[in-house]
Amino acid sequence: MRMIRFARTVTAAALTTALALMAGCGGSDSDADAGDDGKALKKVTYLTSFGSFGRDSYAWVAKDKGFFEEAGFDVRIRPGQGTGGVIPAVVSGQAQFGPIDLTGGLLHMGNGQAKDFVAVAAIQQHTMAAIATTEGNGIATPKDLEGKRLADTPGSVVRNLFPTYARLAGVDADKVTWVNGEAQTLMGTLAGGSVDGIGQFVVGKPTIEAVTKKKAVLLPYSDVIPDLYGNVLITSKKIAEQDPEMVRRFTAALLKGLEYSLAHSKEASEILKRNVDTTNPAAAAAELELMAAYVTPKDGSGTTIGTLDSGRVARSIKILEDAGALPKGMTPEQIIDFGLVPKA
């Protein structure tokens, strides 16, 4: 029995040493751990689109329900700071995946602010960008924004798209003052009265009302700029080219979490609460319920979750070109890898 125990000890020690040597050699083994089933899990960092609100809870759901693990991933989820923050983090390798607003991505790429990233799936089939305020601030129409003070993160799609929105809505953008804010504190800034409005997604309405204790008023960009997609999942061009199968597996797992969250909004909000202490479960669930119409539109199109249509993207590009927001000549294929996008 002693000899058996000794042999087992030697074998275990040898295995440990071998694994340590393999890890020290670099390569894909260095970023993998063993899952419960013994299979290697690839470590991935995922950034949310904007903070840790209900609209982004589907990532935590995909992790909690085991969808990521089933696909072979050990995912670390970190709060993003909008399109302008997610793109450089993904391109630089600080994160491997994250959602951005497609219009914001077009503006960043078309104007030379960013490159080397590609969209691989749609999260929302229509833009959710909006200016949000509360009753009593004197904002009911786009024209009312003149003379007002608005806050948002510097790289957010709401802020970057505002000149186009203002032009099409008949607003003098020079009469609107923007100040810098952070994703997690914007609603508190609005509640404190230091600004008249904030950049926000339309699904933020329940959370705004929970934080400010006032009725929210929203000016959706989609009312003025039709046919724009909302958030899309991006990765770096390097990852898309070198490991397309990894991208497909991650995308499928994330979209599975998205679909589950929309069907079980209350459970999704509870999962988010377990991971983010500041979560208001009721507001988070309400955000998901509002978002459902943007992910799976009730317009009879039968749109499959995650799909992107080249023709629609081309029309979006033309809208931005005609508004003077993009230089002429950009194509959908420059920003979307249609070979990786889920099929309809």
Side-chain angles (χ1 to χ4, degrees):
M1 290 296 292
R2 289 179 181 176
M3 288 298 292
I4 293 172
R5 284 196 295 269
F6 175 75
R8 287 175 177 170
T9 301
V10 171
T11 301
L15 180 59
T16 300
T17 301
L19 290 173
L21 288 171
M22 288 171 65
C25 291
S28 60
D29 289 335
S30 64
D31 62 356
D33 286 333
D36 292 338
D37 59 0
K39 293 182 180 179
L41 298 179
K42 186 172 182 63
K43 290 184 180 294
V44 166
T45 296
Y46 171 90
L47 294 180
T48 68
S49 64
F50 195 73
S52 304
F53 300 106
R55 72 202 72 163
D56 274 299
S57 61
Y58 56 89
W60 280 280
V61 170
K63 184 171 183 176
D64 184 87
K65 304 302 290 186
F67 302 153
F68 284 143
E69 186 173 346
E70 290 169 5
F73 299 103
D74 175 13
V75 179
R76 179 177 65 169
I77 303 169
R78 293 289 180 265
Q81 287 289 326
T83 298
V86 173
I87 291 175
V90 168
V91 171
S92 66
Q94 298 175 53
Q96 286 67 54
F97 297 93
I100 65 166
D101 186 276
L102 180 58
T103 304
L106 287 167
L107 293 174
H108 277 73
M109 183 176 286
N111 293 312
Q113 295 172 278
K115 60 180 182 177
D116 297 329
F117 69 92
V118 289
V120 295
I123 302 300
Q124 293 122 20
Q125 294 292 321
H126 296 288
T127 183
M128 300 197 303
I131 302 295
T133 184
T134 54
E135 285 188 342
N137 284 331
I139 300 174
T141 69
K143 193 68 175 174
D144 296 330
L145 294 171
E146 295 181 358
K148 298 300 193 294
R149 184 179 170 89
L150 308 177
D152 204 349
T153 57
S156 82
V157 65
V158 175
R159 191 163 173 175
N160 285 333
L161 190 56
F162 183 75
T164 302
Y165 170 79
R167 178 180 173 180
L168 296 175
V171 177
D172 186 344
D174 292 334
K175 293 183 179 179
V176 180
T177 301
W178 284 92
V179 299
N180 293 340
E182 295 183 359
Q184 294 295 93
T185 60
L186 278 177
M187 294 183 188
T189 302
L190 179 61
S194 60
V195 296
D196 303 299
I198 58 175
Q200 191 57 241
F201 282 172
V202 294
V203 294
K205 182 179 179 181
T207 305
I208 291 170
E209 292 179 341
V211 172
T212 64
K213 311 302 182 187
K214 296 179 181 178
K215 186 174 181 179
V217 177
L218 288 102
L219 302 177
Y221 279 17
S222 59
D223 288 350
V224 176
I225 316 175
D227 217 16
L228 300 182
Y229 278 96
N231 279 353
V232 293
L233 178 66
I234 68 165
T235 189
S236 68
K237 279 190 175 180
K238 180 179 179 181
I239 291 176
E241 291 170 357
Q242 294 184 354
D243 202 345
E245 184 54 35
M246 167 199 167
V247 176
R248 291 189 182 95
R249 287 189 289 111
F250 183 89
T251 299
L254 183 70
L255 293 180
K256 190 174 181 180
L258 174 61
E259 189 169 17
Y260 188 94
S261 298
L262 298 178
H264 307 86
S265 58
K266 187 174 183 296
E267 182 184 354
S269 69
E270 292 167 351
I271 290 172
L272 181 62
K273 176 64 176 177
R274 291 202 298 270
N275 289 277
V276 182
D277 290 340
T278 56
T279 297
N280 178 320
E287 281 199 9
L288 283 170
E289 289 160 11
L290 286 172
M291 192 171 79
Y294 290 83
V295 176
T296 53
K298 303 280 192 294
D299 58 5
S301 63
T303 303
T304 302
I305 286 181
T307 57
L308 285 159
D309 179 75
S310 180
R312 270 192 64 194
V313 178
R315 292 195 295 273
S316 298
I317 290 172
K318 189 174 188 308
I319 289 170
L320 297 173
E321 288 178 344
D322 291 345
L326 272 183
K328 299 289 185 180
M330 191 169 182
T331 65
E333 290 73 20
Q334 286 177 256
I335 194 170
I336 298 169
D337 188 332
F338 287 100
L340 295 175
V341 172
K343 305 303 180 185

